[in-house]
Amino acid sequence: PTSVLVLANGMVLLPTYLVGLACATPITTLPCASRSLAWGQYAFCATMQQGWYVGGVRDGPGTNRLAIMPMTHCWYLTSQLCFLVLFNFFQDLVKRHPVRSPRDLFDRASLLTYWFFALRMVVLIAGGWWPLHASPPMQMMTFYAGVLLGQAALHVPLTPAAERTWARLTDGLVLGFLVMIMTWGGLWFFLLRLGGEPLFVVLLFGITRSDCYAARVCARFAELGQYSYAIYIIHPPVIKWAKFTTLYGIRRWGPLFELATYESARCRDWKEVEDVVGERRPGLGTDEAPERQRWYLDHYCQLHPWSYVGIFTTIMCASWLMTRLVHQPFTKAWSRYLNRTGRNRPRPRRPRRAAARE
């Protein structure tokens, strides 16, 4: 049942996420001038429902800046919870119409993209990028394509000749992806976001079902998979802290434990800086830009070269600790609790006639 699915798989996401939220709170909530707005958004974040909120509120009338929000990057968790609610529905659809071949997989993913492309364009024009990127309903087609891919990877047979063909095709796609990312990365990402499901299902099917070079490289990093959720949660808070300390010239631990450090920042936090940089007027050179904007361009968005090594090391160490000390122990404890209480088993349904007589 859906309730058991959400209870078993949704709750295990929460502890690690709350650790990341606590890490981000001082620099994404306390500096905000509008405390009521900040803590209202915080309530959405604490319940992993920020996907419904991101992009929906502006920080003041007439501004083109998103309201400051902690853990904005975790909008994806809202979509994941929605997917758990719809998982049985998607699974039933795939069981009724199973994937019969790789071509069938590609055709069905393409058909989904064609159906939803117009809707995505309407949302993009009417609401902007963030509603398209973060709204849970906009992600459900991608999740359904993943269900199709999962069934195809497990059950669609491949001959040795077909496997070799898929290996060459997959390596070619990976090379094309890398070239596009290194050249027209922004345009490539935009096009994939609007209709990239067919390419993704082909790429992932080839990696999972063929002995391509891309699969061999991925296999070498398979152990990192268990830490991927913690990396996803903790990397933005670490980066924001690095930028925050650089912006305000903090070189000692002491000021980080003083409330005045964050009160004095007001709304000059990471999101405002990014938007100030992004709102440069066409034709306005760096030398002609306002003084505050020039300072941000020169110092804030370009950390010291050694900072990136420290950021990467901190993220990897923190994700290892969060996985070992928070995520894995809670997952085991939660599983034991569900087994002991029987909440992971469906409740027997009474016949309708008997229920009506009662």
Side-chain angles (χ1 to χ4, degrees), residues 170-203:
T170 303
D171 288 331
L173 278 175
V174 171
L175 180 62
F177 269 63
L178 293 176
V179 170
M180 290 298 296
I181 290 172
M182 296 299 179
T183 54
W184 301 333
L187 175 62
W188 186 233
F189 175 78
F190 182 75
L191 294 176
L192 289 178
R193 198 70 200 85
L194 287 176
E197 282 81 5
L199 284 178
F200 280 122
V201 296
V202 169
L203 177 65

mmCIF file of all heavy atoms in Angstrom, residues 170-203:
data_model
loop_
_atom_site.group_PDB
_atom_site.id
_atom_site.type_symbol
_atom_site.label_atom_id
_atom_site.label_comp_id
_atom_site.label_asym_id
_atom_site.label_seq_id
_atom_site.Cartn_x
_atom_site.Cartn_y
_atom_site.Cartn_z
ATOM 1 N N THR A 170 26.452 3.726 -26.238
ATOM 2 C CA THR A 170 26.520 4.380 -24.924
ATOM 3 C C THR A 170 27.788 5.209 -24.779
ATOM 4 O O THR A 170 27.740 6.349 -24.309
ATOM 5 C CB THR A 170 26.453 3.321 -23.813
ATOM 6 O OG1 THR A 170 25.258 2.549 -23.967
ATOM 7 C CG2 THR A 170 26.451 3.986 -22.450
ATOM 8 N N ASP A 171 28.924 4.651 -25.191
ATOM 9 C CA ASP A 171 30.169 5.413 -25.099
ATOM 10 C C ASP A 171 30.123 6.647 -25.986
ATOM 11 O O ASP A 171 30.641 7.713 -25.611
ATOM 12 C CB ASP A 171 31.352 4.528 -25.485
ATOM 13 C CG ASP A 171 31.663 3.487 -24.421
ATOM 14 O OD1 ASP A 171 31.392 3.760 -23.238
ATOM 15 O OD2 ASP A 171 32.168 2.398 -24.773
ATOM 16 N N GLY A 172 29.495 6.537 -27.135
ATOM 17 C CA GLY A 172 29.340 7.706 -28.000
ATOM 18 C C GLY A 172 28.483 8.783 -27.368
ATOM 19 O O GLY A 172 28.788 9.984 -27.447
ATOM 20 N N LEU A 173 27.385 8.366 -26.704
ATOM 21 C CA LEU A 173 26.524 9.329 -26.025
ATOM 22 C C LEU A 173 27.263 10.013 -24.870
ATOM 23 O O LEU A 173 27.133 11.223 -24.672
ATOM 24 C CB LEU A 173 25.269 8.630 -25.494
ATOM 25 C CG LEU A 173 24.140 8.396 -26.480
ATOM 26 C CD1 LEU A 173 23.018 7.593 -25.830
ATOM 27 C CD2 LEU A 173 23.587 9.724 -26.998
ATOM 28 N N VAL A 174 28.016 9.236 -24.102
ATOM 29 C CA VAL A 174 28.772 9.824 -22.987
ATOM 30 C C VAL A 174 29.774 10.845 -23.508
ATOM 31 O O VAL A 174 29.912 11.949 -22.946
ATOM 32 C CB VAL A 174 29.494 8.718 -22.189
ATOM 33 C CG1 VAL A 174 30.459 9.333 -21.181
ATOM 34 C CG2 VAL A 174 28.478 7.841 -21.477
ATOM 35 N N LEU A 175 30.465 10.529 -24.586
ATOM 36 C CA LEU A 175 31.410 11.471 -25.172
ATOM 37 C C LEU A 175 30.690 12.732 -25.645
ATOM 38 O O LEU A 175 31.181 13.855 -25.440
ATOM 39 C CB LEU A 175 32.147 10.804 -26.341
ATOM 40 C CG LEU A 175 33.184 11.679 -27.057
ATOM 41 C CD1 LEU A 175 34.286 12.086 -26.084
ATOM 42 C CD2 LEU A 175 33.768 10.931 -28.258
ATOM 43 N N GLY A 176 29.530 12.554 -26.274
ATOM 44 C CA GLY A 176 28.757 13.719 -26.704
ATOM 45 C C GLY A 176 28.312 14.582 -25.535
ATOM 46 O O GLY A 176 28.359 15.818 -25.602
ATOM 47 N N PHE A 177 27.889 13.939 -24.451
ATOM 48 C CA PHE A 177 27.493 14.677 -23.248
ATOM 49 C C PHE A 177 28.663 15.510 -22.728
ATOM 50 O O PHE A 177 28.498 16.680 -22.376
ATOM 51 C CB PHE A 177 27.025 13.696 -22.164
ATOM 52 C CG PHE A 177 25.558 13.414 -22.186
ATOM 53 C CD1 PHE A 177 24.963 12.808 -23.288
ATOM 54 C CD2 PHE A 177 24.762 13.747 -21.118
ATOM 55 C CE1 PHE A 177 23.618 12.537 -23.309
ATOM 56 C CE2 PHE A 177 23.405 13.484 -21.129
ATOM 57 C CZ PHE A 177 22.830 12.878 -22.231
ATOM 58 N N LEU A 178 29.839 14.911 -22.658
ATOM 59 C CA LEU A 178 30.992 15.619 -22.124
ATOM 60 C C LEU A 178 31.367 16.811 -22.993
ATOM 61 O O LEU A 178 31.694 17.893 -22.483
ATOM 62 C CB LEU A 178 32.182 14.657 -22.007
ATOM 63 C CG LEU A 178 32.041 13.532 -20.977
ATOM 64 C CD1 LEU A 178 33.249 12.601 -21.038
ATOM 65 C CD2 LEU A 178 31.892 14.105 -19.568
ATOM 66 N N VAL A 179 31.319 16.635 -24.294
ATOM 67 C CA VAL A 179 31.637 17.743 -25.205
ATOM 68 C C VAL A 179 30.643 18.882 -25.027
ATOM 69 O O VAL A 179 31.027 20.064 -24.942
ATOM 70 C CB VAL A 179 31.651 17.247 -26.663
ATOM 71 C CG1 VAL A 179 31.743 18.432 -27.628
ATOM 72 C CG2 VAL A 179 32.805 16.292 -26.891
ATOM 73 N N MET A 180 29.362 18.564 -24.950
ATOM 74 C CA MET A 180 28.351 19.603 -24.796
ATOM 75 C C MET A 180 28.470 20.312 -23.446
ATOM 76 O O MET A 180 28.298 21.528 -23.345
ATOM 77 C CB MET A 180 26.956 19.000 -24.939
ATOM 78 C CG MET A 180 26.623 18.541 -26.347
ATOM 79 S SD MET A 180 26.618 19.891 -27.545
ATOM 80 C CE MET A 180 25.266 20.897 -26.945
ATOM 81 N N ILE A 181 28.761 19.552 -22.396
ATOM 82 C CA ILE A 181 28.902 20.162 -21.073
ATOM 83 C C ILE A 181 30.079 21.126 -21.040
ATOM 84 O O ILE A 181 30.012 22.208 -20.432
ATOM 85 C CB ILE A 181 29.063 19.065 -20.006
ATOM 86 C CG1 ILE A 181 27.737 18.308 -19.832
ATOM 87 C CG2 ILE A 181 29.501 19.662 -18.667
ATOM 88 C CD1 ILE A 181 27.848 17.091 -18.946
ATOM 89 N N MET A 182 31.173 20.769 -21.716
ATOM 90 C CA MET A 182 32.370 21.607 -21.697
ATOM 91 C C MET A 182 32.258 22.798 -22.641
ATOM 92 O O MET A 182 33.066 23.729 -22.549
ATOM 93 C CB MET A 182 33.602 20.769 -22.086
ATOM 94 C CG MET A 182 33.909 19.658 -21.104
ATOM 95 S SD MET A 182 34.277 20.280 -19.444
ATOM 96 C CE MET A 182 34.548 18.743 -18.564
ATOM 97 N N THR A 183 31.287 22.791 -23.543
ATOM 98 C CA THR A 183 31.171 23.883 -24.516
ATOM 99 C C THR A 183 29.906 24.699 -24.266
ATOM 100 O O THR A 183 29.968 25.809 -23.747
ATOM 101 C CB THR A 183 31.184 23.328 -25.948
ATOM 102 O OG1 THR A 183 30.164 22.305 -26.082
ATOM 103 C CG2 THR A 183 32.537 22.712 -26.269
ATOM 104 N N TRP A 184 28.764 24.138 -24.596
ATOM 105 C CA TRP A 184 27.490 24.844 -24.439
ATOM 106 C C TRP A 184 26.730 24.265 -23.252
ATOM 107 O O TRP A 184 25.598 23.813 -23.375
ATOM 108 C CB TRP A 184 26.646 24.721 -25.711
ATOM 109 C CG TRP A 184 27.321 25.265 -26.927
ATOM 110 C CD1 TRP A 184 28.270 26.239 -26.961
ATOM 111 C CD2 TRP A 184 27.121 24.849 -28.278
ATOM 112 N NE1 TRP A 184 28.673 26.474 -28.243
ATOM 113 C CE2 TRP A 184 27.982 25.633 -29.092
ATOM 114 C CE3 TRP A 184 26.304 23.907 -28.890
ATOM 115 C CZ2 TRP A 184 28.041 25.496 -30.468
ATOM 116 C CZ3 TRP A 184 26.360 23.772 -30.276
ATOM 117 C CH2 TRP A 184 27.210 24.564 -31.043
ATOM 118 N N GLY A 185 27.355 24.286 -22.089
ATOM 119 C CA GLY A 185 26.770 23.629 -20.926
ATOM 120 C C GLY A 185 25.406 24.152 -20.550
ATOM 121 O O GLY A 185 24.475 23.383 -20.271
ATOM 122 N N GLY A 186 25.237 25.486 -20.526
ATOM 123 C CA GLY A 186 23.951 26.068 -20.135
ATOM 124 C C GLY A 186 22.835 25.696 -21.099
ATOM 125 O O GLY A 186 21.740 25.293 -20.686
ATOM 126 N N LEU A 187 23.098 25.819 -22.412
ATOM 127 C CA LEU A 187 22.090 25.468 -23.413
ATOM 128 C C LEU A 187 21.774 23.985 -23.361
ATOM 129 O O LEU A 187 20.608 23.577 -23.443
ATOM 130 C CB LEU A 187 22.606 25.847 -24.801
ATOM 131 C CG LEU A 187 21.724 25.440 -25.981
ATOM 132 C CD1 LEU A 187 20.372 26.125 -25.898
ATOM 133 C CD2 LEU A 187 22.412 25.759 -27.310
ATOM 134 N N TRP A 188 22.791 23.162 -23.200
ATOM 135 C CA TRP A 188 22.615 21.714 -23.146
ATOM 136 C C TRP A 188 21.729 21.325 -21.962
ATOM 137 O O TRP A 188 20.813 20.523 -22.083
ATOM 138 C CB TRP A 188 23.971 21.061 -23.048
ATOM 139 C CG TRP A 188 24.021 19.563 -23.110
ATOM 140 C CD1 TRP A 188 24.617 18.731 -22.229
ATOM 141 C CD2 TRP A 188 23.478 18.719 -24.132
ATOM 142 N NE1 TRP A 188 24.484 17.427 -22.615
ATOM 143 C CE2 TRP A 188 23.795 17.379 -23.783
ATOM 144 C CE3 TRP A 188 22.756 18.947 -25.302
ATOM 145 C CZ2 TRP A 188 23.411 16.300 -24.561
ATOM 146 C CZ3 TRP A 188 22.376 17.874 -26.077
ATOM 147 C CH2 TRP A 188 22.705 16.567 -25.713
ATOM 148 N N PHE A 189 22.005 21.924 -20.798
ATOM 149 C CA PHE A 189 21.202 21.637 -19.611
ATOM 150 C C PHE A 189 19.754 22.073 -19.830
ATOM 151 O O PHE A 189 18.814 21.357 -19.457
ATOM 152 C CB PHE A 189 21.793 22.364 -18.397
ATOM 153 C CG PHE A 189 20.972 22.220 -17.150
ATOM 154 C CD1 PHE A 189 21.017 21.056 -16.400
ATOM 155 C CD2 PHE A 189 20.138 23.252 -16.731
ATOM 156 C CE1 PHE A 189 20.255 20.923 -15.251
ATOM 157 C CE2 PHE A 189 19.376 23.120 -15.582
ATOM 158 C CZ PHE A 189 19.435 21.960 -14.847
ATOM 159 N N PHE A 190 19.546 23.220 -20.435
ATOM 160 C CA PHE A 190 18.194 23.722 -20.676
ATOM 161 C C PHE A 190 17.423 22.776 -21.599
ATOM 162 O O PHE A 190 16.260 22.440 -21.339
ATOM 163 C CB PHE A 190 18.273 25.123 -21.292
ATOM 164 C CG PHE A 190 16.941 25.751 -21.547
ATOM 165 C CD1 PHE A 190 16.185 26.268 -20.499
ATOM 166 C CD2 PHE A 190 16.436 25.848 -22.832
ATOM 167 C CE1 PHE A 190 14.955 26.852 -20.733
ATOM 168 C CE2 PHE A 190 15.215 26.426 -23.070
ATOM 169 C CZ PHE A 190 14.468 26.935 -22.019
ATOM 170 N N LEU A 191 18.053 22.321 -22.665
ATOM 171 C CA LEU A 191 17.377 21.421 -23.602
ATOM 172 C C LEU A 191 17.072 20.069 -22.957
ATOM 173 O O LEU A 191 15.983 19.505 -23.165
ATOM 174 C CB LEU A 191 18.245 21.224 -24.853
ATOM 175 C CG LEU A 191 18.449 22.471 -25.728
ATOM 176 C CD1 LEU A 191 19.398 22.155 -26.867
ATOM 177 C CD2 LEU A 191 17.107 22.977 -26.259
ATOM 178 N N LEU A 192 18.006 19.551 -22.172
ATOM 179 C CA LEU A 192 17.763 18.285 -21.488
ATOM 180 C C LEU A 192 16.634 18.418 -20.481
ATOM 181 O O LEU A 192 15.855 17.481 -20.271
ATOM 182 C CB LEU A 192 19.035 17.805 -20.791
ATOM 183 C CG LEU A 192 20.160 17.299 -21.694
ATOM 184 C CD1 LEU A 192 21.367 16.917 -20.859
ATOM 185 C CD2 LEU A 192 19.706 16.112 -22.534
ATOM 186 N N ARG A 193 16.544 19.582 -19.843
ATOM 187 C CA ARG A 193 15.479 19.774 -18.843
ATOM 188 C C ARG A 193 14.116 19.799 -19.493
ATOM 189 O O ARG A 193 13.121 19.374 -18.910
ATOM 190 C CB ARG A 193 15.716 21.093 -18.086
ATOM 191 C CG ARG A 193 14.957 21.167 -16.799
ATOM 192 C CD ARG A 193 15.571 20.187 -15.800
ATOM 193 N NE ARG A 193 14.675 19.836 -14.716
ATOM 194 C CZ ARG A 193 13.763 18.884 -14.765
ATOM 195 N NH1 ARG A 193 13.602 18.164 -15.856
ATOM 196 N NH2 ARG A 193 13.017 18.616 -13.732
ATOM 197 N N LEU A 194 14.045 20.314 -20.717
ATOM 198 C CA LEU A 194 12.761 20.385 -21.408
ATOM 199 C C LEU A 194 12.360 19.052 -22.028
ATOM 200 O O LEU A 194 11.171 18.742 -22.101
ATOM 201 C CB LEU A 194 12.807 21.467 -22.496
ATOM 202 C CG LEU A 194 12.780 22.915 -22.014
ATOM 203 C CD1 LEU A 194 12.928 23.860 -23.198
ATOM 204 C CD2 LEU A 194 11.494 23.220 -21.259
ATOM 205 N N GLY A 195 13.318 18.276 -22.491
ATOM 206 C CA GLY A 195 12.940 17.032 -23.160
ATOM 207 C C GLY A 195 14.061 16.035 -23.271
ATOM 208 O O GLY A 195 14.279 15.452 -24.346
ATOM 209 N N GLY A 196 14.778 15.801 -22.182
ATOM 210 C CA GLY A 196 15.933 14.925 -22.259
ATOM 211 C C GLY A 196 15.701 13.493 -21.844
ATOM 212 O O GLY A 196 16.642 12.698 -21.832
ATOM 213 N N GLU A 197 14.452 13.124 -21.503
ATOM 214 C CA GLU A 197 14.206 11.762 -21.011
ATOM 215 C C GLU A 197 14.606 10.670 -21.998
ATOM 216 O O GLU A 197 15.199 9.659 -21.580
ATOM 217 C CB GLU A 197 12.730 11.595 -20.623
ATOM 218 C CG GLU A 197 12.353 12.196 -19.289
ATOM 219 C CD GLU A 197 12.127 13.693 -19.372
ATOM 220 O OE1 GLU A 197 12.169 14.237 -20.494
ATOM 221 O OE2 GLU A 197 11.898 14.317 -18.323
ATOM 222 N N PRO A 198 14.318 10.800 -23.306
ATOM 223 C CA PRO A 198 14.728 9.721 -24.218
ATOM 224 C C PRO A 198 16.232 9.473 -24.219
ATOM 225 O O PRO A 198 16.674 8.323 -24.211
ATOM 226 C CB PRO A 198 14.237 10.225 -25.589
ATOM 227 C CG PRO A 198 13.100 11.126 -25.274
ATOM 228 C CD PRO A 198 13.483 11.806 -24.001
ATOM 229 N N LEU A 199 17.032 10.545 -24.217
ATOM 230 C CA LEU A 199 18.485 10.366 -24.187
ATOM 231 C C LEU A 199 18.947 9.730 -22.882
ATOM 232 O O LEU A 199 19.837 8.876 -22.868
ATOM 233 C CB LEU A 199 19.176 11.715 -24.389
ATOM 234 C CG LEU A 199 19.200 12.265 -25.813
ATOM 235 C CD1 LEU A 199 19.875 13.629 -25.828
ATOM 236 C CD2 LEU A 199 19.909 11.312 -26.760
ATOM 237 N N PHE A 200 18.342 10.140 -21.788
ATOM 238 C CA PHE A 200 18.749 9.598 -20.495
ATOM 239 C C PHE A 200 18.421 8.113 -20.381
ATOM 240 O O PHE A 200 19.223 7.340 -19.844
ATOM 241 C CB PHE A 200 18.091 10.372 -19.357
ATOM 242 C CG PHE A 200 18.770 11.661 -19.041
ATOM 243 C CD1 PHE A 200 18.081 12.858 -19.104
ATOM 244 C CD2 PHE A 200 20.102 11.688 -18.687
ATOM 245 C CE1 PHE A 200 18.707 14.056 -18.818
ATOM 246 C CE2 PHE A 200 20.751 12.881 -18.395
ATOM 247 C CZ PHE A 200 20.044 14.075 -18.459
ATOM 248 N N VAL A 201 17.257 7.696 -20.844
ATOM 249 C CA VAL A 201 16.914 6.276 -20.713
ATOM 250 C C VAL A 201 17.819 5.419 -21.594
ATOM 251 O O VAL A 201 18.213 4.314 -21.207
ATOM 252 C CB VAL A 201 15.418 6.022 -21.036
ATOM 253 C CG1 VAL A 201 14.522 6.724 -20.045
ATOM 254 C CG2 VAL A 201 15.078 6.417 -22.458
ATOM 255 N N VAL A 202 18.157 5.924 -22.777
ATOM 256 C CA VAL A 202 19.079 5.184 -23.644
ATOM 257 C C VAL A 202 20.452 5.089 -22.999
ATOM 258 O O VAL A 202 21.087 4.026 -22.957
ATOM 259 C CB VAL A 202 19.180 5.866 -25.025
ATOM 260 C CG1 VAL A 202 20.329 5.268 -25.841
ATOM 261 C CG2 VAL A 202 17.868 5.700 -25.786
ATOM 262 N N LEU A 203 20.931 6.206 -22.447
ATOM 263 C CA LEU A 203 22.248 6.224 -21.817
ATOM 264 C C LEU A 203 22.309 5.276 -20.622
ATOM 265 O O LEU A 203 23.234 4.457 -20.495
ATOM 266 C CB LEU A 203 22.571 7.649 -21.378
ATOM 267 C CG LEU A 203 23.889 7.859 -20.629
ATOM 268 C CD1 LEU A 203 25.065 7.562 -21.536
ATOM 269 C CD2 LEU A 203 23.974 9.280 -20.086
#
